[in-house]
Amino acid sequence: IFKFFKDTASPSLNADRKAMEAAIKLSCLPALRDQKFKGSLPNFYRNVDGFISLANFQFWSSGGSFCVNIGY
């Protein structure tokens, strides 16, 4: 049963995830890089004079949305 569920849900979830990642790379990634963040999806960080800032994109496991976690 699990294999059947996984196979039927996976293509849509993968498409949603890929579309969200593409949008993040197009719109958010340049802004993060301008602010000197390093890393790759979903985790970014920067160290400014020993002060570390974090940004993390957390994708919803059922697809279709995500949230941004920020540590400052």
Side-chain angles (χ1 to χ4, degrees):
I1 293 174
F2 177 75
K3 184 175 179 358
F4 175 75
F5 176 77
K6 182 179 174 188
D7 289 345
T8 58
S10 185
S12 175
L13 295 180
N14 287 338
D16 284 347
R17 172 79 181 252
K18 288 179 183 178
M20 288 185 287
E21 286 181 357
I24 290 168
K25 287 178 182 177
L26 183 65
S27 60
C28 297
L29 190 56
L32 287 170
R33 297 289 186 225
D34 286 346
Q35 296 298 315
K36 310 299 183 210
F37 277 83
K38 299 176 183 178
S40 59
L41 267 172
N43 302 306
F44 298 93
Y45 68 95
R46 70 178 176 184
N47 184 339
V48 178
D49 298 328
F51 190 80
I52 299 173
S53 303
L54 304 170
N56 166 267
F57 292 86
Q58 183 178 3
F59 296 93
W60 187 34
S61 61
S62 295
S65 66
F66 65 92
C67 65
V68 180
N69 303 304
I70 299 172
Y72 186 72

